[in-house]
């Protein structure tokens, strides 16, 4: 584990969780010292990982209470509790807290805990992203992917042709990313490292003042002493340093300070200009392809004119026909001179691609182009040589064929790169949300602002305090430490309603501050920020291959060799047919002989067949589809999710937080004994205030309203016990108070009166949850708690029915409440009182019945069902574990986005099928025409340069077909919901 040392400024509290990056100030803990406000505290220690087996958890509330208890400890960096596997994984600093303390804390929360030693020693796989320059078709991406997958330590590798990137999951203790880069380079392509891990950021600095290698070594040594440095790469010729680091441990301003303080202070460091960004790379690719096309036109147009236009103008024709030696004329020499730069300089990229492919024992589009153009060029050279040495030889050169072929292919590549750039606009728009600059504040010991300065937003570090003025974007994730305002979070969540923010509230980087000034303490930067995680999710989605793409990959594997065989067979068939006089002499154009006619047919077949269109059919549509989904608040995790979603014909809904609002409120209270309502709620709230269950929180919030105080002091509760799935009990003011369900009362031999039974039955019919309260063994009151149905739920269920999608509700709540909610929503099939595993079993039963099942949920207890379903849809406001387990994340937490996700996937796959019709239909129809199938009856033939233009056009057509998805509109009935004001808040 890495050694870490940090500096923090105390806020008049114990440093507690502030040192670990939690999002709100924490109360004082006895084990931690307190510091005067403004004191600089140095925190050092080894980061450790522990995994505990936790028994007794049954629902999300249990996991939440364990997680919160752990996070209250000092030195905890991260805690994740998995109720499904009964595990808790904790990252902590060993100088502040020990494993035994964490275990005792879990047990104090009411659960049994045991350290799992074997799992503590497991290493987490790392994920790196690499841009790969030079790939031209599916054969290239398959070659790189195959080379990566055979490396020891690589667990998963995906190479996407459309994005020209690779995403590799690997064991860093077995293989390094430098080895991965070398393997890609060995396959003949240029790799550029984009990122090295899920929580690793990368930055490039320009350093002025470097004079020799000693200077570099001094700087490198100084930087390596910093905590959190993962990797350093020095580029002396560019005065550039590339640094990979953990953003929660260090940051770029620290690097600059260390560099400038090294030696005698003669170095100056700054951010390196962003010349390697994805958008800049795309712009460079567009400019490069356009430049090559223009240069090819400069030489090709004169070749075309001398061979097909000027030869019909009498005066000019006479000049071109002037013989230099024997039958070699000026026109042939001009065409040779002009076409040679096109063939070998401008067309150099095709030779390089061909060489790389053949070296890797594969064949790609470059092989076809190189063979086709070289056949035409070198046959033409043969014609020139024969004309120069013979007085009687008659032959036609095809220099215009090779040069025009290359020109049209370059035009196609330019248009293709231009169109592919537009498919990545979703990510570009997301990245544009982050502001370029931020206002950094310096505070004195009392927390007053001493100074402020504007810095590049890439220089923001964790625990910085930044100022957000009205109309400015929030520069980074954090929480408000001063000020009040409203923030428009629609760019992240899709919800347009401004959200009120005040001290202690979270803000998200990239959102828009509206009306007040905020001071924000930064908690997440770089790759850890919400915006970066959304971008990474969309990028990963665009990398992932849909199963339907395997069809194209299988075809592409054999496509080029088959085309070469067909091309040679075409040439041989026409040549032998001419040799043995199988067709009339009149079929041969006056400008060529039988061999040349056969050669043109062969070249046309070779260059018209296009594996690129097949390779681009799926990934371009997936890129546009996932991008459109992200812009509408629906994050689709790749092609697999898209393909499964379009087949969904049954949806299983969780109830709480999915069909319902998820915020329970007390709607009715019935006292069974003569006592003051305020005294009753004081005892109940004192008992429930220690509970993390949503129902307990609802009771405490209602009690505050009864007290008419925001933060009342409740009596002390002794001997507090949480009975999982039933309720809580404690001793308050020497009275034993039990708050829970009916079964809990019966377990404690507390009799339930007829009045209470009637109240319970009525509440359940109204979809309300009933909580009973006993004091000293006697039932004294009953509470009715309601979690109202989301306003759009009935209409969403109705639309799903019209889409022939069956809806089922599965919940852990009682049958009465479940039936009432289902009836109100319009759902006919209901399963109640279901444990987490029962939900997963129901999903499997539906799958066994032939349904393609989607599960929509928000809680940890939904995770088994989300994983078991063909498609898991997590409500965006749900837990991290549910979101991680899901295939689709509904960022706005709106039920209507379930319909958007299914409808978008159907439209996307319809577009993919159309793309395959274009690509396959094009090749099936064009190859026979190029081979001369229509020539005997119509004398119609495709010259090679026209065949090349058609080949280039096929790829452009497929990409443009995918781009039409950008016009996607949600079903009209969903727009009606928004217009009529039925909107989830």
């Amino acid at each position: 584990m890495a050694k870490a040392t940090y500096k923090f400024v105390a806020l008049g509290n114990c440093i507690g969780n502030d040192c670990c990056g939690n999002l709100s100030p924490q109360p004082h803990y006895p084990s931690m010292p307190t510091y005067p406000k403004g004191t600089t505290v140095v925190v050092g220690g080894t980061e450790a990982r522990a995994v505990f087996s936790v028994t007794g958890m049954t629902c999300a509330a249990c996991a939440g209470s364990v997680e919160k208890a752990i996070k209250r400890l000092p030195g905890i960096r991260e805690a994740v509790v998995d109720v499904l596997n009964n595990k808790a994984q904790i990252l902590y600093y060993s100088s502040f807290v020990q494993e035994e303390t964490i275990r005792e804390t879990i047990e104090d929360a009411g659960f049994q805990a045991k350290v799992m030693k074997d799992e503590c020693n497991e290493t987490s796989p790392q994920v790196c992203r690499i841009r790969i320059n030079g790939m031209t078709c599916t054969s290239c991406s398959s070659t790189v992917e195959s080379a990566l997958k055979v490396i020891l330590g690589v667990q998963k590798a995906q190479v996407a042709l459309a994005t020209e990137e690779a995403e590799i999951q690997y064991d860093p203790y077995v293989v390094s990313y430098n080895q991965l880069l070398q393997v890609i380079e060995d396959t003949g392509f240029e790799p550029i490292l984009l990122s090295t891990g899920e929580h690793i950021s990368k930055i490039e600095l320009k350093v002025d003042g470097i004079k020799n290698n000693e200077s570099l070594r001094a700087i490198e040594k100084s930087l390596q002493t910093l905590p959190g440095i993962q990797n350093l790469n020095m580029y002396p010729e560019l005065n550039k340093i590339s640094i990979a680091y953990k953003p929660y441990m260090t940051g770029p301003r620290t690097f600059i300070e260390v560099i400038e303080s090294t030696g005698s202070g003669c170095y100056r460091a700054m951010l390196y200009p962003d010349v390697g960004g994805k958008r800049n790379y795309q712009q460079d690719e567009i400019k490069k392809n356009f430049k090559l096309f223009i240069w090819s036109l400069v030489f090709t147009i004169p070749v075309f004119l001398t061979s097909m236009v000027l030869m019909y103008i009498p005066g000019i024709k006479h000049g071109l026909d002037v013989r230099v030696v024997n039958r070699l004329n000026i026109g042939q020499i001009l065409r040779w001179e002009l076409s040679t730069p096109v063939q070998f300089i401008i067309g150099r990229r095709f030779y390089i691609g061909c060489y790389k492919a053949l070296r890797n024992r594969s064949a790609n589009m470059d092989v076809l182009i190189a063979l086709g153009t070289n056949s035409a060029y070198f046959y033409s050279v043969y014609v020139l040589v024969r004309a120069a040495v013979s007085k009687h030889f008659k032959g036609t050169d095809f220099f215009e064929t090779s040069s025009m072929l290359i020109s049209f292919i370059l035009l196609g590549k330019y248009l293709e790169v231009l169109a592919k750039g537009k498919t990545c606009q979703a990510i570009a728009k997301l990245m544009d949300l982050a502001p370029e600059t931020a206002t950094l504040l310096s505070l004195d010991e009392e927390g007053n602002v001493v100074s402020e300065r504007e810095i590049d937003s890439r220089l923001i570090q964790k625990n910085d305090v930044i100022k957000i003025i009205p109309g400015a974007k929030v520069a980074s994730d954090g929480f408000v430490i001063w000020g009040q305002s409203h923030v428009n979070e629609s760019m992240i969540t899709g919800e347009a309603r401004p959200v009120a923010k005040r001290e202690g509230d979270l803000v998200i980087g990239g959102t828009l501050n509206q009306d007040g000034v905020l001071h924000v303490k930064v908690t997440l930067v770089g790759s850890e920020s919400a915006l970066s995680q959304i971008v990474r999710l969309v990028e990963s989605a665009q990398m992932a291959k849909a199963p339907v793409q395997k069809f194209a990959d299988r075809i592409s594997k054999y496509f080029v060799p088959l085309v070469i065989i067909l091309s040679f067979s075409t040439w041989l068939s026409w040549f032998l047919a001419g040799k043995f006089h199988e067709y009339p002499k009149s079929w041969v154009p006056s400008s060529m002989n039988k061999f040349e006619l056969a050669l043109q047919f062969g070249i046309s077949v070779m260059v018209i067949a296009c594996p690129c269109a097949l390779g681009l059919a799926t990934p371009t549509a997936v890129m546009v589809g996932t991008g459109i989904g992200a812009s509408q608040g629906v994050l689709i995790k790749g092609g697999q999710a898209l393909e499964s979603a379009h087949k969904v014909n049954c949806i299983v809904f969780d109830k709480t937080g999915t069909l319902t609002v998820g915020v329970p409120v007390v709607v009715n209270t019935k006292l069974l004994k003569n006592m003051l309502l305020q005294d009753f709620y004081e005892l109940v709230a004192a008992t429930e205030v220690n509970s993390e269950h949503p129902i307990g929180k609802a009771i405490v919030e209602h009690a505050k309203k009864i007290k008419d105080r925001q933060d009342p002091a409740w009596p002390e509760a002794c001997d507090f016990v949480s009975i999982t799935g039933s309720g809580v009990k404690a001793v308050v003011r020497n009275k034993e108070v039990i708050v829970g369900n009916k079964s809990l009362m019966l377990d404690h031999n507390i009799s339930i009166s007829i009045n209470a039974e009637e109240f319970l039955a009525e509440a359940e019919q109204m979809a309300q949850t009933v909580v009973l309260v006993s004091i000293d063994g006697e039932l004294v009151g009953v509470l009715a708690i309601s979690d109202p149905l989301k306003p759009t739920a009935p209409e969403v269920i109705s639309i799903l029915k019209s889409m022939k999608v069956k809806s089922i509700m599965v919940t852990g709540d009682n049958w009465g409440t479940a039936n009432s909610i289902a009836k109100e929503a319009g759902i006919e099939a209901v399963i109640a009182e279901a444990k987490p595993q029962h939900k997963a079993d129901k999903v499997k039963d539906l799958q066994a019945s032939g349904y393609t099942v989607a599960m929509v949920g928000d809680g940890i207890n939904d995770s088994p069902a989300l994983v078991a379903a063909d498609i898991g849809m997590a409500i965006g406001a749900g837990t991290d574990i549910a979101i991680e387990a899901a295939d689709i994340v509904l960022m706005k937490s709106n039920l209507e986005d379930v319909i958007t996700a299914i409808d978008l996937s159907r439209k996307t796959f319809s577009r993919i099928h159309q793309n395959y019709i274009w690509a396959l239909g094009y090749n099936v129809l064009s190859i026979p025409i190029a081979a001369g199938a229509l020539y005997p009856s119509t004398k119609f033939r495709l010259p090679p340069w026209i065949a090349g233009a058609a080949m280039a056009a096929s790829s452009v057509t497929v990409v443009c077909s995918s781009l039409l998805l950008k016009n996607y509109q949600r079903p009209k009935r969903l727009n009606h919901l928004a217009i009529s004001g039925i909107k989830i808040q």
Side-chain angles (χ1 to χ4, degrees):
M1 290 294 180
K3 198 78 175 175
T5 306
Y6 310 100
K7 288 185 179 181
F8 300 93
V9 177
L11 300 176
N13 202 349
C14 72
I15 59 174
N17 284 31
D18 279 350
C19 71
C20 312
N22 280 350
L23 302 182
S24 57
Q26 300 292 324
H28 173 67
Y29 303 106
S31 59
M32 285 295 296
T34 56
Y35 299 92
K37 196 171 186 180
T39 304
T40 299
V41 185
V42 178
V43 181
T46 302
E47 183 186 311
R49 173 177 176 266
V51 179
F52 293 85
S53 170
V54 183
T55 55
M57 299 188 298
T58 59
C59 64
C62 302
S65 61
V66 172
E67 190 170 309
K68 188 167 184 179
I70 295 169
K71 286 184 175 179
R72 283 176 174 165
L73 291 170
I76 300 296
R77 189 175 82 76
E78 185 60 75
V80 178
V81 181
D82 182 357
V83 71
L84 171 60
N85 296 306
N86 294 317
K87 290 181 184 178
Q89 180 175 301
I90 297 100
L91 295 177
Y92 63 98
Y93 298 110
S94 56
S95 58
F96 284 91
V97 66
Q98 300 299 317
E99 280 184 0
E100 184 60 24
T101 306
I102 298 172
R103 188 189 65 77
E104 290 173 357
T105 300
I106 296 172
E107 294 192 343
D108 288 344
F111 304 93
Q112 294 297 314
K114 183 173 69 174
V115 178
M116 302 174 70
K117 291 290 183 185
D118 292 339
E119 296 214 14
C120 292
N121 297 324
E122 287 183 359
T123 58
S124 301
Q126 204 155 317
V127 178
C128 73
R129 298 178 66 83
I130 301 170
R131 182 187 301 130
I132 303 174
N133 297 340
M135 296 192 298
T136 58
C137 67
T138 311
S139 177
C140 302
S141 58
S142 299
T143 299
V144 177
E145 194 170 291
S146 300
L148 289 169
K149 284 181 176 178
V150 297
I151 301 172
L152 184 66
V154 172
Q155 299 171 1
K156 185 180 179 183
Q158 289 182 323
V159 180
L161 173 65
T163 59
E164 296 181 332
E165 290 180 11
E167 186 174 85
I168 307 157
Q169 185 174 303
Y170 66 101
D171 185 341
Y173 289 95
V174 179
V175 62
S176 70
Y177 62 79
N178 285 319
Q179 290 173 281
L180 301 176
L181 293 171
Q182 187 59 50
V183 168
I184 295 171
E185 198 169 319
D186 290 343
T187 59
F189 301 96
E190 181 192 354
I192 299 173
L193 185 67
L194 298 178
S195 64
T196 57
E198 289 295 322
H199 298 292
I200 305 295
S201 292
K202 182 183 173 187
I203 198 160
E204 294 178 338
L205 298 176
K206 183 179 180 182
V207 183
D208 293 332
I210 296 177
K211 297 177 181 178
N212 50 41
N213 289 335
E214 286 297 322
S215 300
L216 278 175
R217 280 194 287 271
I219 292 172
E220 185 176 8
K221 190 174 180 180
S222 298
L223 288 171
Q224 284 177 338
T225 60
L226 293 173
I229 296 290
Q230 292 293 104
N231 189 63
L232 282 172
N233 286 316
M234 317 293 280
Y235 302 92
E237 67 282 1
L238 299 174
N239 287 348
K240 182 172 79 170
I241 301 176
S242 177
I243 307 169
Y245 64 98
K246 294 182 178 180
Y248 55 85
M249 296 176 72
T250 187
R253 287 206 320 283
T254 303
F255 306 150
I256 291 173
E257 289 170 7
V258 167
I259 291 170
E260 293 185 345
S261 63
T262 300
S264 57
C266 59
Y267 307 122
R268 288 291 174 267
M270 66 200 76
L271 289 170
Y272 201 85
D274 184 20
V275 294
K278 185 170 183 177
R279 201 178 317 181
N280 290 331
Y281 168 72
Q282 287 174 345
Q283 291 300 319
D284 289 343
E285 277 291 288
I286 291 170
K287 289 176 183 177
K288 185 173 74 174
N289 279 279
F290 181 71
K291 186 178 179 181
L292 283 172
F293 170 63
I294 293 300
W295 273 109
S296 69
L297 282 186
V298 169
F299 292 96
T300 300
I301 289 174
V303 174
F304 172 76
L305 291 175
T306 56
S307 63
M308 296 190 176
V309 178
L310 299 179
M311 59 182 292
Y312 296 107
I313 302 174
I316 299 176
K317 182 182 185 303
H318 177 72
L320 293 173
D321 287 342
V322 173
R323 295 180 184 180
V324 178
V325 57
N326 290 329
R327 299 191 66 88
L328 179 64
N329 60 47
I330 291 176
Q332 290 174 318
I333 293 174
L334 278 174
R335 288 193 290 274
W336 181 31
E337 290 177 343
L338 290 166
S339 62
T340 299
V342 178
Q343 183 70 35
F344 297 108
I345 299 175
I346 297 170
R348 179 172 173 266
R349 59 182 293 174
F350 302 118
Y351 287 96
I352 294 171
C354 178
Y355 167 73
K356 290 175 180 176
L358 295 177
R359 193 179 71 175
N360 291 305
R361 297 177 182 178
S362 63
N364 61 9
M365 186 193 77
D366 291 330
V367 174
L368 294 179
I369 296 170
L371 283 174
T373 57
N374 277 292
S375 299
Y377 178 83
F378 284 107
Y379 175 75
S380 302
V381 172
Y382 164 76
V383 169
L384 262 67
V385 174
R386 284 292 305 273
V389 299
S390 173
K391 295 180 180 181
H392 307 290
F393 175 77
K394 285 185 178 182
T396 305
D397 66 83
F398 294 144
F399 287 121
E400 83 284 348
T401 295
S402 63
S403 56
M404 290 177 70
L405 185 54
I406 288 173
S407 295
F408 275 110
I409 290 168
L410 289 174
L411 173 62
K413 293 302 291 182
Y414 165 68
L415 295 174
E416 183 183 318
V417 171
L418 200 64
K420 279 166 66 177
K422 293 181 179 178
T423 64
C424 300
Q425 284 182 352
I427 291 178
K429 287 179 180 177
L430 284 171
M431 295 176 74
D432 282 341
L433 293 177
E436 293 184 358
T437 60
T439 303
L440 180 68
L441 300 179
S442 297
L443 307 181
D444 62 14
E445 294 181 356
E446 282 74 37
N448 300 316
V449 177
V450 175
S451 64
E452 59 180 64
R453 62 188 174 106
E454 193 173 83
I455 62 170
D456 190 300
S457 60
R458 290 174 292 172
L459 293 175
I460 295 175
Q461 296 185 185
K462 192 170 183 178
N463 293 319
D464 280 344
V465 177
I466 57 176
K467 176 182 177 182
I468 316 296
I469 62 174
K473 289 181 179 178
V474 178
S476 194
D477 294 10
F479 63 90
V480 178
I481 61 171
W482 180 87
Q484 292 186 0
S485 183
H486 287 83
V487 175
N488 186 340
E489 298 182 342
S490 61
M491 56 282 293
I492 300 294
T493 66
E495 187 62 61
R497 182 172 61 96
V499 180
K501 300 292 181 182
R502 59 182 181 181
E503 190 173 336
D505 288 339
L506 300 180
V507 290
I508 305 171
T511 55
L512 184 66
N513 184 29
Q514 291 195 331
D515 47 33
V517 176
L518 297 175
H519 291 179
V520 174
K521 185 174 184 180
V522 175
T523 55
L524 298 174
V525 293
S527 60
E528 290 189 319
S529 68
L531 186 58
S532 293
Q533 290 179 30
I534 292 171
V535 169
R536 189 163 60 243
L537 184 60
V538 177
E539 285 178 334
S540 296
Q542 295 183 345
M543 288 284 300
K545 291 182 180 179
V548 72
Q549 193 174 340
K550 293 177 183 176
F551 168 70
D553 291 345
R554 282 196 297 269
I555 292 177
S556 297
K557 186 177 181 181
Y558 306 103
F559 190 89
V560 175
L562 180 63
V563 168
I564 293 172
I565 293 169
L566 285 174
S567 174
F568 180 78
S569 301
T570 300
W571 169 79
L572 187 62
S573 300
W574 277 97
F575 176 69
L576 292 176
K579 190 81 172 174
F580 295 105
H581 308 291
E582 294 295 326
Y583 59 81
K585 197 172 183 179
S586 60
W587 284 15
V588 182
S590 59
S591 61
M592 63 180 70
N593 58 35
K594 292 178 180 180
F595 175 84
E596 292 166 350
L597 178 65
L599 183 63
Q600 282 219 350
F601 280 129
I603 294 173
S604 293
V605 170
M606 191 173 292
V607 299
I608 201 166
C610 181
C612 294
L614 274 172
L616 293 169
T618 298
T620 52
V622 169
M623 284 175 69
V624 178
T626 52
I628 291 296
S631 67
Q632 301 213 9
V634 178
L635 297 183
I636 303 170
K637 297 183 181 178
Q640 173 76 56
L642 264 176
E643 182 160 349
S644 299
H646 93 281
K647 300 175 185 175
V648 167
N649 53 13
C650 178
I651 296 185
V652 176
F653 289 96
D654 174 49
K655 179 180 77 71
T656 306
T658 302
L659 287 171
T660 62
V661 174
V663 182
V665 292
V666 177
V667 293
N668 199 0
T669 307
K670 184 176 181 67
L671 293 178
L672 304 174
K673 295 295 178 183
N674 188 19
M675 65 184 301
L676 291 174
L677 185 64
Q678 190 168 347
D679 294 341
F680 170 77
Y681 266 107
E682 190 171 56
L683 294 174
V684 174
T687 306
E688 286 285 10
V689 76
N690 298 301
S691 172
E692 292 296 322
H693 198 282
I695 288 179
K697 291 181 178 179
I699 293 172
V700 173
E701 287 300 315
H702 190 71
K704 288 179 182 178
K705 295 176 183 176
I706 299 293
K707 271 267 191 181
D708 197 25
R709 288 176 61 187
Q710 183 60 35
D711 193 17
W714 305 113
E716 183 181 357
C718 304
D719 301 327
F720 173 82
V721 178
S722 175
I723 300 109
T724 303
S726 299
V728 296
K729 67 177 182 178
V731 175
V732 182
R733 288 180 176 165
N734 296 323
K735 296 178 180 179
E736 185 186 49
V737 181
I738 301 176
V739 184
N741 58 20
K742 183 178 178 181
S743 62
L744 181 63
M745 298 299 155
L746 296 177
D747 289 343
H748 285 77
N749 298 318
I750 297 169
S751 60
I752 300 173
S753 64
I754 296 175
N755 286 344
E757 290 280 10
E758 290 175 353
F759 185 88
L760 194 149
E762 289 175 7
E764 286 187 352
Q765 287 179 358
M766 298 169 65
Q768 296 170 353
T769 300
V770 176
V771 175
L772 296 90
V773 180
S774 75
I775 299 176
D776 290 335
E778 185 179 11
L779 191 67
V780 297
V782 188
L783 312 178
I785 297 171
S786 175
D787 183 7
L789 189 71
K790 288 182 177 177
T792 54
E795 185 69 17
V796 167
I797 301 301
S798 173
I799 295 173
L800 287 172
K801 283 182 182 177
S802 68
M803 295 170 68
K804 298 182 179 177
V805 177
K806 181 178 181 180
S807 298
I808 298 173
M809 186 177 80
V810 180
T811 178
D813 212 335
N814 63 72
W815 279 98
T817 302
N819 283 324
S820 179
I821 287 288
K823 184 177 179 182
E824 190 179 348
I827 297 175
E828 297 174 2
V830 183
I831 297 172
E833 299 178 6
K835 300 289 184 185
Q837 192 55 47
H838 295 158
K839 294 183 179 182
D841 291 340
K842 178 58 182 175
V843 167
K844 292 173 184 175
D845 290 343
L846 290 166
Q847 290 169 328
S849 302
Y851 286 103
T852 300
V853 183
M855 170 71 194
V856 184
D858 71 321
I860 295 174
N861 58 340
D862 297 323
S863 298
L866 288 168
V867 173
D870 297 286
I871 282 292
M873 297 188 188
I875 296 295
T879 65
D880 290 341
I881 291 176
I883 291 172
E884 184 66 29
D887 302 294
I888 296 175
V889 181
L890 311 178
M891 293 295 291
K892 292 183 284 186
S893 302
N894 286 355
L895 270 181
E896 61 210 66
D897 286 340
V898 172
I899 296 169
T900 301
I902 294 174
D903 185 64
L904 177 59
S905 69
R906 290 180 179 180
K907 295 281 178 32
T908 302
F909 257 78
S910 173
R911 185 62 56 184
I912 289 173
H913 293 149
Q914 288 179 41
N915 286 351
Y916 276 128
I917 291 171
W918 274 108
L920 286 172
Y922 164 83
N923 285 299
V924 168
L925 292 174
S926 62
I927 291 176
I929 295 172
L934 300 179
Y935 193 68
S937 58
T938 64
K939 300 298 181 292
F940 176 79
R941 65 185 176 88
L942 283 175
W945 61 273
I946 294 180
M951 183 270 282
S954 66
S955 296
V956 177
T957 301
V958 166
V959 177
C960 290
S961 171
S962 296
L963 282 173
L964 290 175
L965 274 171
K966 296 184 78 169
N967 299 322
Y968 170 78
Q969 297 291 331
R970 300 193 314 166
K972 291 182 179 178
R973 288 181 67 180
L974 292 184
N975 295 331
H976 167 71
L977 290 184
I979 292 169
S980 61
I982 305 176
K983 193 72 176 173
I984 298 174
Q985 302 295 341

